[in-house]
Amino acid sequence: MTVARVWLYAWLLPSLSLAFMRATLTADSVPRSPTRTAMVMQSQKTSAPKRIGLLVEPTPFTHVSGYANRFNEMLKYMAKAGENVEIITVDDTPEAPASKFGYPINTIKGFRFVLYNEIALTFDLKQRTLAVMRRFKPDILHVTSPGFLVFVGVLTARILKVPLVFSYHTHLPVYAKQYFPVPGIDNAAWKILKFVHNRADLNLVTSPQMKEELEASGLCGQGSRA
């Protein structure tokens, strides 16, 4: 079973994902304002080092995945730029590193997904992410998507009142239609994506084509970049 299919099942289990969203997001949770989005994009143009909280799932450090090299390269360049980064990821292997490029890695044990036991996932119900980020006091929160940590990221950014950035790596509606062909499954995937990503200040995607598709579908309306 492919990693993409794993993400598909994980995101489309209504008894898990929707229940967790209702439990963690308050009624007044709404998309971030264009002003806050502009602040995030403007901050990318400044040279002053930032404090960046990075939530990445699954781990790019002990699990081989399509984005592992991408995140390791990103961290390498952040280290060269002098950025201050604190990482939270999910890993239950003995090889889980304590740091990478000098940045501390806070490892959450999580659980092995039943349909693909090579990766670990988490809802972080013990709120370790919130505790770490309260101590770290980030200027911005960067969260990978799709995954369960996106819900934790939205909640943490709301509580700490910091800008939220999502980086989108697997196109959920396409895999939903391809690997779980039931009526309306792609629409359900779009609804979940919109619920989550429209609460971000900025959404990063992997190509201009993906940016156009997401914006045409009403997602990333507050700001997206390829």
Side-chain angles (χ1 to χ4, degrees):
M1 181 174 292
T2 65
V3 173
R5 188 180 295 190
V6 170
W7 287 128
L8 164 66
Y9 284 113
W11 267 55
L12 297 179
L13 285 174
S15 61
L16 293 177
S17 60
L18 294 181
F20 187 75
M21 284 189 287
R22 294 191 184 105
T24 56
L25 297 179
T26 60
D28 61 351
S29 293
V30 295
R32 317 303 286 269
S33 70
T35 300
R36 290 180 64 86
T37 299
M39 290 171 60
V40 174
M41 299 178 72
Q42 179 63 32
S43 70
Q44 296 179 338
K45 302 177 182 179
T46 63
S47 58
K50 297 291 187 296
R51 299 178 66 83
I52 303 168
L54 176 62
L55 279 58
V56 56
E57 178 191 41
T59 176
F61 307 119
T62 61
H63 176 71
V64 177
S65 61
Y67 68 16
N69 290 338
R70 186 179 305 157
F71 275 95
N72 280 286
E73 285 297 304
M74 181 186 76
L75 289 170
K76 180 173 71 175
Y77 284 105
M78 283 181 168
K80 289 182 178 180
E83 308 288 4
N84 192 350
V85 182
E86 184 117 5
I87 304 165
I88 290 186
T89 192
V90 191
D91 202 338
D92 59 2
T93 66
E95 297 81 16
S99 64
K100 191 75 171 182
F101 301 109
Y103 295 134
I105 300 175
N106 301 272
T107 300
I108 300 175
K109 295 299 182 183
F111 58 91
R112 289 281 166 165
F113 191 54
V114 65
L115 298 178
Y116 189 76
N117 64 6
E118 293 187 18
I119 63 172
L121 308 172
T122 186
F123 281 119
D124 192 19
L125 296 178
K126 294 183 179 180
Q127 300 183 16
R128 186 178 174 192
T129 297
L130 180 58
V132 169
M133 291 302 152
R134 271 180 167 158
R135 170 185 55 77
F136 178 61
K137 296 180 174 60
D139 298 315
I140 192 169
L141 201 62
H142 179 174
V143 186
T144 61
S145 173
F148 288 134
L149 275 180
V150 296
F151 308 122
V152 178
V154 171
L155 177 65
T156 302
R158 287 296 185 275
I159 293 175
L160 300 183
K161 295 181 172 61
V162 296
L164 175 64
V165 173
F166 281 127
S167 54
Y168 185 58
H169 301 278
T170 300
H171 197 21
L172 194 64
V174 170
Y175 286 102
K177 195 172 183 179
Q178 182 176 354
Y179 293 112
F180 201 61
V182 298
I185 197 67
D186 52 338
N187 290 332
W190 277 115
K191 287 181 180 179
I192 294 175
L193 287 176
K194 291 176 184 178
F195 183 91
V196 172
H197 280 263
N198 283 345
R199 283 162 172 76
D201 293 287
L202 184 66
N203 289 282
L204 305 177
V205 295
T206 54
S207 70
Q209 293 78 14
M210 181 61 65
K211 175 179 180 293
E212 292 175 1
E213 181 177 355
L214 295 183
E215 290 182 334
S217 299
L219 193 147
C220 307
Q222 296 299 330
S224 57
R225 301 188 77 177

